[in-house]
Amino acid sequence: NAGVMQNPRHLVRRRGQEARLRCSPMKGHSHVYWYRQLPEEGLKFMVYLQKENIIDESGMPKERFSAEFPKEGPSILRIQQVVRGDSAAYFCASSRQPQTSGRPSHTGELFFGEGSRLTVL
Amino acid sequence: QKEVEQNSGPLSVPEGAIASLNCTYSDRVSQSFFWYRQYSGKSPELIMSIYSNGDKEDGRFTAQLNKASQYVSLLIRDSQPSDSATYLCAVKGLRRNFNKFYFGSGTKLNVKP
């Protein structure tokens, strides 16, 4: 499967536990984005990463949430000490290498994984 | 002002009609524009991308871009019940964040048989 792979698809945690969500980007894609979506609401940007670097984490809550994209292996979104309000669908998306200059790129469409649905009891 | 704005709907059209979905964005610097379709309980699926002013057609879908008006739209011809979904407009490059995608909140489309 050449698409964006996320796991687990469904995760149930009790309050106070940790949740780890994994994302493998499409082949040839070096950039990963994480979004959160509550039922009947829009996509909320969380973080944008490239290998070993966090590019933009302006959408990440300051506490309990962290993300990484190591040199080897998938990107991981980690939520510590989960609370009921963390229950949501978490989508990972990937794109190809964007431009490195200041000029905008016309490439780099964003492709989404199937999502990980977190339920906090 | 939100970076990307869409009417939340729902937009209801009869089967076979043209559905017109609209989106405005806040920054003239933006260069790349995308339409995603999201079925309930599923992930967003890219259906169209457009980068230049004018129209871009792909099957029953036409994307229209007017950079001067900061406006992008999606037309769906011969609408089918299977087109019923939420359509998300995405803009890349707002505020010179050239690699960041900004999403609208989506327009829910109902195509009635």
Side-chain angles (χ1 to χ4, degrees):
Chain A
N1 188 333
V4 179
M5 302 299 293
Q6 288 189 250
N7 69 82
R9 294 287 305 278
H10 299 275
L11 183 63
V12 179
R13 285 287 179 266
R14 297 190 181 279
R15 281 180 298 171
Q17 292 184 319
E18 179 179 288
R20 282 190 181 223
L21 310 177
R22 287 174 286 279
C23 170
S24 296
M26 282 180 72
K27 187 176 180 181
H29 286 193
S30 57
H31 287 245
V32 164
Y33 301 74
W34 285 94
Y35 291 84
R36 177 165 65 177
Q37 188 175 40
L38 295 171
E40 304 301 319
E41 293 191 10
L43 290 168
K44 181 177 182 298
F45 169 79
M46 298 184 75
V47 62
Y48 160 41
L49 313 100
Q50 67 178 35
K51 286 284 187 182
E52 299 185 281
N53 280 307
I54 296 174
I55 308 299
D56 184 335
E57 57 181 347
S58 58
M60 289 274 276
K62 296 285 187 254
E63 297 177 353
R64 301 189 299 108
F65 285 73
S66 62
E68 62 176 3
F69 190 12
K71 188 176 180 180
E72 301 290 337
S75 175
I76 295 175
L77 179 66
R78 182 182 179 204
I79 311 172
Q80 294 177 290
Q81 299 175 352
V82 296
V83 300
R84 288 211 174 110
D86 296 333
S87 296
Y90 291 85
F91 291 103
C92 171
S94 70
S95 69
R96 287 188 296 167
Q97 176 70 37
Q99 89 289 343
T100 54
S101 70
R103 294 171 58 196
S105 169
H106 286 192
T107 61
E109 295 167 332
L110 197 63
F111 295 91
F112 284 84
E114 293 294 319
S116 292
R117 282 152 181 84
L118 173 65
T119 301
V120 180
L121 301 177
Chain B
Q1 181 191 8
K2 287 184 180 178
E3 291 94 353
V4 180
E5 296 210 53
Q6 296 181 255
N7 188 324
S8 61
L11 173 67
S12 292
V13 300
E15 184 174 358
I18 296 175
S20 178
L21 304 159
N22 304 313
C23 172
T24 57
Y25 58 95
S26 62
D27 191 338
R28 288 177 179 267
V29 175
S30 307
Q31 294 290 323
S32 307
F33 307 87
F34 308 90
W35 283 100
Y36 288 81
R37 177 177 62 200
Q38 186 176 26
Y39 292 113
S40 181
K42 301 294 185 182
S43 63
E45 173 193 9
L46 178 67
I47 54 173
M48 289 285 284
S49 57
I50 186 166
Y51 308 106
S52 304
N53 276 327
D55 295 1
K56 179 182 177 183
E57 187 174 317
D58 183 1
R60 295 187 296 111
F61 298 98
T62 298
Q64 299 175 318
L65 176 61
N66 183 328
K67 290 185 180 180
S69 300
Q70 295 171 217
Y71 176 93
V72 58
S73 64
L74 179 70
L75 301 178
I76 306 175
R77 290 182 299 283
D78 188 24
S79 295
Q80 302 296 309
S82 59
D83 295 326
S84 297
T86 296
Y87 289 80
L88 302 169
C89 172
V91 178
K92 184 180 176 187
L94 284 168
R95 300 177 183 174
R96 301 192 181 274
N97 291 320
F98 296 124
N99 299 316
K100 189 170 177 178
F101 294 78
Y102 293 82
F103 282 84
S105 56
T107 299
K108 190 168 186 178
L109 172 66
N110 291 329
V111 180
K112 298 181 178 179

